[in-house]
Amino acid sequence: VVWMPGDVRTEIQLRSEDTDGAFCLVVDHPPTGWSLPAHRHHNEAETIHIVQGDFEIEVDGIRSRMSAGRSIHIPRGVTHSSANIGRQTGCRVVLFSPAGIEGFFLEAGAPAPDSEIDLAAAVASATRHCWEFMPRP
Protein backbone atom coordinates (compact mmCIF):
# COMPACT_ATOMS: atom_id res chain seq x y z
CA VAL A 1 0.00 0.00 0.00
CA VAL A 2 1.24 3.49 -0.91
CA TRP A 3 -0.31 6.91 -0.42
CA MET A 4 -0.41 9.14 -3.49
CA PRO A 5 -0.80 12.92 -3.69
CA GLY A 6 -4.28 13.96 -2.61
CA ASP A 7 -4.37 11.33 0.19
CA VAL A 8 -5.27 8.51 -2.21
CA ARG A 9 -4.67 5.09 -0.62
CA THR A 10 -3.36 2.90 -3.45
CA GLU A 11 -2.91 -0.87 -3.45
CA ILE A 12 -0.81 -2.40 -6.21
CA GLN A 13 -2.41 -5.82 -6.57
CA LEU A 14 -0.59 -7.16 -9.66
CA ARG A 15 2.72 -5.96 -11.10
CA SER A 16 4.47 -6.56 -14.39
CA GLU A 17 6.26 -9.62 -13.04
CA ASP A 18 2.91 -11.12 -12.01
CA THR A 19 1.38 -10.85 -15.50
CA ASP A 20 4.38 -11.31 -17.82
CA GLY A 21 4.13 -7.58 -18.54
CA ALA A 22 0.56 -7.78 -19.85
CA PHE A 23 -1.00 -5.44 -17.26
CA CYS A 24 -0.84 -4.09 -13.74
CA LEU A 25 -3.84 -3.92 -11.43
CA VAL A 26 -4.32 -1.18 -8.86
CA VAL A 27 -7.09 -0.53 -6.33
CA ASP A 28 -7.31 3.07 -5.20
CA HIS A 29 -9.43 4.95 -2.68
CA PRO A 30 -9.75 8.63 -3.71
CA PRO A 31 -11.22 10.82 -0.95
CA THR A 32 -14.08 13.26 -1.44
CA GLY A 33 -12.89 16.28 -3.41
CA TRP A 34 -9.93 14.47 -5.00
CA SER A 35 -9.23 15.20 -8.65
CA LEU A 36 -6.59 14.35 -11.21
CA PRO A 37 -6.04 16.92 -13.95
CA ALA A 38 -6.22 16.18 -17.65
CA HIS A 39 -3.42 13.91 -18.78
CA ARG A 40 -2.64 11.03 -21.08
CA HIS A 41 -0.49 7.92 -20.93
CA HIS A 42 1.76 7.36 -23.93
CA ASN A 43 2.40 3.68 -23.16
CA GLU A 44 -0.70 2.29 -21.48
CA ALA A 45 -4.43 1.96 -21.94
CA GLU A 46 -6.40 2.35 -18.70
CA THR A 47 -9.61 0.65 -17.64
CA ILE A 48 -11.41 1.92 -14.53
CA HIS A 49 -14.15 0.05 -12.67
CA ILE A 50 -15.99 1.96 -9.94
CA VAL A 51 -16.57 -0.17 -6.84
CA GLN A 52 -17.79 2.59 -4.52
CA GLY A 53 -18.51 6.29 -4.81
CA ASP A 54 -19.40 8.85 -7.45
CA PHE A 55 -16.89 10.08 -9.99
CA GLU A 56 -16.82 12.44 -12.91
CA ILE A 57 -14.52 11.14 -15.62
CA GLU A 58 -13.77 13.04 -18.80
CA VAL A 59 -12.34 11.11 -21.74
CA ASP A 60 -11.38 12.93 -24.93
CA GLY A 61 -13.69 15.84 -24.07
CA ILE A 62 -16.71 13.70 -23.14
CA ARG A 63 -17.68 13.98 -19.46
CA SER A 64 -19.46 11.09 -17.72
CA ARG A 65 -20.77 10.64 -14.20
CA MET A 66 -19.87 7.18 -12.96
CA SER A 67 -21.07 5.33 -9.88
CA ALA A 68 -20.59 1.86 -8.43
CA GLY A 69 -20.79 -0.92 -10.98
CA ARG A 70 -19.78 1.20 -13.99
CA SER A 71 -16.58 0.81 -15.99
CA ILE A 72 -14.80 2.89 -18.59
CA HIS A 73 -11.88 2.19 -20.93
CA ILE A 74 -9.39 4.87 -21.90
CA PRO A 75 -7.24 3.97 -24.92
CA ARG A 76 -3.52 4.68 -24.90
CA GLY A 77 -2.74 8.31 -25.73
CA VAL A 78 -6.25 9.66 -25.05
CA THR A 79 -6.59 12.69 -22.75
CA HIS A 80 -8.62 12.07 -19.60
CA SER A 81 -9.26 13.41 -16.11
CA SER A 82 -11.27 12.30 -13.11
CA ALA A 83 -12.65 13.54 -9.81
CA ASN A 84 -14.43 12.09 -6.80
CA ILE A 85 -17.62 14.16 -6.72
CA GLY A 86 -19.33 12.01 -4.09
CA ARG A 87 -19.77 12.44 -0.36
CA GLN A 88 -17.57 9.49 0.56
CA THR A 89 -14.18 8.04 -0.19
CA GLY A 90 -14.45 6.09 -3.41
CA CYS A 91 -12.96 2.81 -4.49
CA ARG A 92 -11.81 2.04 -8.02
CA VAL A 93 -10.15 -0.95 -9.64
CA VAL A 94 -7.76 0.33 -12.29
CA LEU A 95 -6.09 -1.86 -14.90
CA PHE A 96 -3.22 -0.48 -16.98
CA SER A 97 -2.07 -2.41 -20.03
CA PRO A 98 0.67 -3.13 -20.71
CA ALA A 99 2.25 -3.14 -17.25
CA GLY A 100 5.04 -0.84 -16.14
CA ILE A 101 3.22 2.20 -14.82
CA GLU A 102 3.20 0.64 -11.35
CA GLY A 103 6.76 1.97 -11.14
CA PHE A 104 5.27 5.47 -10.93
CA PHE A 105 3.11 4.56 -7.93
CA LEU A 106 6.07 2.91 -6.18
CA GLU A 107 8.36 5.89 -6.86
CA ALA A 108 5.94 8.71 -6.12
CA GLY A 109 3.91 7.14 -3.33
CA ALA A 110 4.56 7.45 0.38
CA PRO A 111 4.46 4.62 2.94
CA ALA A 112 1.96 6.29 5.29
CA PRO A 113 -0.97 8.72 4.97
CA ASP A 114 0.76 11.39 7.03
CA SER A 115 3.98 11.28 4.97
CA GLU A 116 4.87 14.38 3.05
CA ILE A 117 4.93 13.90 -0.72
CA ASP A 118 7.18 16.01 -2.91
CA LEU A 119 4.79 17.06 -5.71
CA ALA A 120 7.63 18.12 -8.03
CA ALA A 121 9.21 14.69 -7.62
CA ALA A 122 5.82 13.02 -8.23
CA VAL A 123 5.35 14.98 -11.47
CA ALA A 124 8.91 14.14 -12.54
CA SER A 125 8.21 10.45 -11.88
CA ALA A 126 4.96 10.66 -13.87
CA THR A 127 6.88 12.21 -16.77
CA ARG A 128 9.50 9.43 -16.63
CA HIS A 129 6.64 6.93 -16.82
CA CYS A 130 5.28 8.66 -19.96
CA TRP A 131 2.40 10.64 -18.45
CA GLU A 132 1.75 13.94 -20.17
CA PHE A 133 -0.24 16.54 -18.23
CA MET A 134 -2.25 18.90 -20.40
CA PRO A 135 -2.09 22.66 -19.87
CA ARG A 136 -5.11 24.09 -18.09
CA PRO A 137 -7.33 26.22 -20.32
Side-chain angles (χ1 to χ4, degrees):
V1 173
V2 295
W3 292 86
M4 300 306 295
D7 288 330
V8 179
R9 181 176 190 266
T10 303
E11 306 159 10
I12 302 167
Q13 297 291 329
L14 293 171
R15 300 178 186 192
S16 182
E17 59 265 22
D18 301 318
T19 66
D20 291 326
F23 65 91
C24 75
L25 184 69
V26 173
V27 176
D28 69 10
H29 304 269
T32 298
W34 166 88
S35 66
L36 186 59
H39 66 285
R40 60 183 162 198
H41 307 284
H42 290 284
N43 292 333
E44 301 86 12
E46 180 176 358
T47 302
I48 302 169
H49 176 74
I50 309 298
V51 176
Q52 175 181 311
D54 295 300
F55 292 85
E56 183 173 272
I57 300 176
E58 185 171 328
V59 177
D60 205 16
I62 299 170
R63 193 172 295 174
S64 300
R65 184 179 173 124
M66 308 216 26
S67 297
R70 303 245 349 254
S71 300
I72 192 165
H73 178 73
I74 303 143
R76 173 185 304 141
V78 173
T79 300
H80 59 287
S81 63
S82 58
N84 180 347
I85 58 171
R87 294 184 178 172
Q88 64 183 4
T89 295
C91 179
R92 309 179 313 159
V93 175
V94 185
L95 183 136
F96 293 96
S97 63
I101 203 167
E102 68 272 22
F104 159 72
F105 296 101
L106 294 168
E107 267 184 33
D114 55 354
S115 301
E116 193 166 320
I117 296 176
D118 181 341
L119 288 179
V123 170
S125 176
T127 301
R128 276 193 304 283
H129 288 90
C130 299
W131 292 47
E132 178 186 358
F133 289 95
M134 313 319 289
R136 294 187 180 196

